[in-house]
Amino acid sequence: MLPQKQAEEAMVPSLNQTIEHDEGEEVKEDNSHFSFKSFLWHGGSVYDAWFSCASNQVAQVLLTLPYSFSQLGMLSGIIFQIFYGLLGSWTAYLISILYIEYRSRKEKENVSFKNHVIQWFEVLEGLLGPYWKAIGLAFNCTFLLFGSVIQLIACASNIYYINDNLDKRTWTYIFGACCATTVFIPSFHNYRIWSFLGLGMTTYTAWYMTIAALVHGQVENVTHSGPNKLVLYFTGATNILYTFGGHAVTVEIMHAMWKPQKFKYIYLYATLYVFTLTLPSATAVYWAFGDQLLDHSNAFSLLPRSGWRDTAVILMLIHQFITFGFACTPLYFVWEKVIGMHDTKSICLRALARLPVVIPIWFLAIIFPFFGPINSAVGALLVSFTVYIIPASAHMLTYKSASARQNAAEKLPVFIPNWTVMYVVNAFVVIWVLVVGFGFGGWASMTNFIKQVDTFGLFAKCYQCPPKVMASNHTLHH
């Protein structure tokens, strides 16, 4: 079975089998099949899942958080980060519970998931019916599509601060072609080394931003006036909602695990680590540059040019390639299922079949190159439903009957004393995100987004680039 692993989607044991296998057997099995290739390529452990979650949670958004702080103010920025981080961890937990419930029910019916990756919309269909499948599929795919678009925009935005000989739109063409190579990565099993490297890259970048801002010190006559406009306040808050709403790929990461039951608190542990990256970097850069960030959504644009900054830019470019793959892989799976290629063993055939998914992403990144504002718009209109409202609502409906609660595959967590409290928490998530995230956030982020369109236009050649006179001076260094 092992030689076929490259083309496999999820040759994981059944859920029941993973419960029965003890740790000793798992270690023994792993050792018997150990090779350097499998060490780098085939991941399914708890640690792989943690690296995947932590690496995928912050990528280019790390560079926009100081921009959000300038809109929110320091105190609100810190509070919203902690609040939405915990809220995101809660809904990721709900998604994991619903996955286990769905899979355990299906396996009681002797359904096999060999060579088939379970996805979120299938979980919704199995538990709640076809209408929920349609809702989940629409929101999830649209979010992942624009999530991939954002990574592509970020690549062009970042490389410009190393080489401004080419405008950002041209860089988008180039990186679109580079990111298209993710079609050759079969599944989340195969992101082991990439997740590990990706987290190292964001860690370096976050601490570079923190130290560089502190060493630079505050700019002359720095001001910290935020929050001073309601539209900017909710735009910033929604960007943070987007930051901690990266668990649209939770089901696919769980399905790639050897023991999916162990995922429940992994996203929380990943979020706690991410706090050590996002909070110091955002506060330090905002402290140093203040209101200048209102017109500079990418923190690299204000940090002084140095070898350290160039290294951070290059590492973020690589990481954005990885995150592009994370966001696109579920879309590849959906497309494969639509055209009947999901069970195909050949990596090359599947890669060829996946290419049409990349083309609209490439095109949208060229139309809307608004690095920063697009994050908030996606957060309000898509993330709010995809990873907050739908999971919380689905959990309440799945366990609305007494028999469903009694026969639940997973017990309530230790910090939730009864089902009444569970429903109160889930109802709070739905109402809060619907009103604040989608309502106020949608209004604010779309107002800001439309302002960017009016100012720069669609297909903007070089969004937020310095004037040509300034740019020509920089090109002498290249």
Side-chain angles (χ1 to χ4, degrees):
M1 186 175 76
L2 195 67
Q4 298 177 356
K5 263 193 171 181
Q6 275 191 325
E8 75 176 354
E9 285 304 331
M11 303 285 283
V12 293
S14 74
L15 202 62
N16 294 330
Q17 286 176 324
T18 58
I19 295 172
E20 292 167 5
H21 285 178
D22 60 31
E23 293 295 330
E25 287 174 333
E26 185 186 29
V27 172
K28 182 179 178 181
E29 182 182 350
D30 290 345
N31 289 339
S32 66
H33 294 130
F34 179 81
S35 69
F36 183 69
K37 180 182 175 183
S38 65
F39 173 71
L40 296 178
W41 187 246
H42 301 301
S45 69
V46 170
Y47 301 104
D48 289 310
W50 183 85
F51 275 111
S52 293
C53 290
S55 175
N56 186 48
Q57 194 171 134
V58 284
Q60 51 72 37
V61 77
L62 187 68
L63 307 174
T64 66
L65 286 175
Y67 168 66
S68 296
F69 269 48
S70 70
Q71 297 169 321
L72 287 164
M74 188 78 78
L75 180 61
S76 290
I78 293 171
I79 290 172
F80 270 116
Q81 274 206 43
I82 295 171
F83 175 69
Y84 280 132
L86 296 177
L87 208 63
S89 299
W90 174 252
T91 54
Y93 168 80
L94 297 180
I95 292 171
S96 71
I97 294 300
L98 292 173
Y99 168 87
I100 293 170
E101 184 68 40
Y102 167 77
R103 188 164 173 180
S104 62
R105 288 185 189 183
K106 287 296 179 183
E107 287 178 353
K108 286 176 184 176
E109 301 168 7
N110 296 319
V111 176
S112 173
F113 294 107
K114 184 177 180 179
N115 272 348
H116 181 91
V117 174
I118 298 173
Q119 294 189 265
W120 176 230
F121 67 90
E122 294 169 318
V123 173
L124 290 173
E125 181 185 29
L127 297 176
L128 298 172
Y131 292 112
W132 278 86
K133 173 189 175 180
I135 294 169
L137 188 60
F139 275 105
N140 215 44
C141 289
T142 310
F143 167 45
L144 291 170
L145 180 78
F146 277 96
S148 304
V149 168
I150 288 168
Q151 299 309 320
L152 205 48
I153 294 169
C155 286
S157 178
N158 289 343
I159 191 64
Y160 184 80
Y161 297 113
I162 288 183
N163 185 338
D164 56 9
N165 288 321
L166 299 176
D167 58 74
K168 291 181 181 180
R169 187 167 65 194
T170 304
W171 281 119
T172 304
Y173 294 139
I174 294 169
F175 279 101
C178 295
C179 289
T181 58
T182 57
V183 298
F184 289 100
I185 301 177
S187 76
F188 284 99
H189 280 290
N190 312 114
Y191 274 94
R192 164 173 276 185
I193 188 64
W194 294 113
S195 296
F196 176 76
L197 292 175
L199 189 59
M201 292 166 187
T202 50
T203 300
Y204 171 89
T205 303
W207 285 106
Y208 155 73
M209 289 168 62
T210 305
I211 295 168
L214 293 175
V215 170
H216 179 277
Q218 291 185 312
V219 295
E220 189 176 355
N221 299 321
V222 65
T223 55
H224 299 85
S225 61
N228 57 7
K229 288 184 180 179
L230 206 59
V231 66
L232 293 179
Y233 187 83
F234 284 108
T235 301
T238 312
N239 187 41
I240 296 177
L241 177 85
Y242 169 84
T243 302
F244 294 99
H247 41 291
V249 295
T250 298
V251 170
E252 288 83 359
I253 292 173
M254 280 188 73
H255 196 79
M257 292 179 68
W258 296 317
K259 294 193 174 186
Q261 304 86 351
K262 293 189 175 183
F263 183 87
K264 287 181 292 185
Y265 300 112
I266 287 176
Y267 197 88
L268 174 62
Y269 300 145
T271 299
L272 294 177
Y273 178 78
V274 166
F275 282 153
T276 69
L277 308 181
T278 58
L279 288 169
S281 60
T283 53
V285 174
Y286 178 53
W287 169 82
F289 297 100
D291 289 347
Q292 286 188 22
L293 285 159
L294 289 169
D295 298 315
H296 296 81
S297 56
N298 189 330
F300 282 147
S301 64
L302 289 175
L303 292 168
R305 180 76 183 267
S306 68
W308 299 103
R309 193 192 75 164
D310 288 354
T311 301
V313 170
I314 292 167
L315 291 179
M316 286 305 290
L317 286 172
I318 299 170
H319 186 262
Q320 278 145 16
F321 165 83
I322 297 167
T323 310
F324 182 94
F326 262 100
C328 252
T329 299
L331 294 176
Y332 296 151
F333 293 158
V334 172
W335 179 246
E336 287 170 0
K337 291 170 185 177
V338 168
I339 64 174
M341 295 284 287
H342 191 56
D343 296 329
T344 303
K345 301 285 185 182
S346 169
I347 291 177
C348 292
L349 275 178
R350 289 177 62 198
L352 192 63
R354 290 172 168 188
L355 275 176
V357 176
V358 181
I359 294 170
I361 294 169
W362 208 347
F363 187 62
L364 287 168
I366 294 164
I367 298 177
F368 305 115
F370 312 125
F371 184 65
I374 195 172
N375 293 21
S376 297
V378 170
L381 303 180
L382 297 172
V383 174
S384 57
F385 283 94
T386 305
V387 295
Y388 293 98
I389 295 172
I390 291 176
S393 301
H395 190 275
M396 288 191 286
L397 291 174
T398 299
Y399 297 107
K400 65 181 180 180
S401 69
S403 60
R405 295 193 292 271
Q406 187 176 356
N407 299 316
E410 288 286 325
K411 295 179 180 179
L412 291 174
V414 292
F415 52 87
I416 299 292
N418 53 55
W419 280 98
T420 302
V421 175
M422 173 67 85
Y423 270 78
V424 168
V425 173
N426 286 341
F428 169 78
V429 172
V430 172
I431 294 168
W432 176 274
V433 176
L434 190 63
V435 174
V436 178
F438 176 70
F440 290 109
W443 160 73
S445 60
M446 286 310 298
T447 301
N448 189 39
F449 189 82
I450 292 167
K451 180 184 175 183
Q452 305 304 314
V453 175
D454 291 340
T455 304
F456 296 95
L458 299 176
F459 298 96
K461 192 173 183 180
C462 208
Y463 177 65
Q464 287 189 341
C465 294
K468 284 187 177 181
V469 176
M470 294 175 63
S472 62
N473 292 334
H474 290 307
T475 57
L476 297 175
H477 296 292
H478 301 293

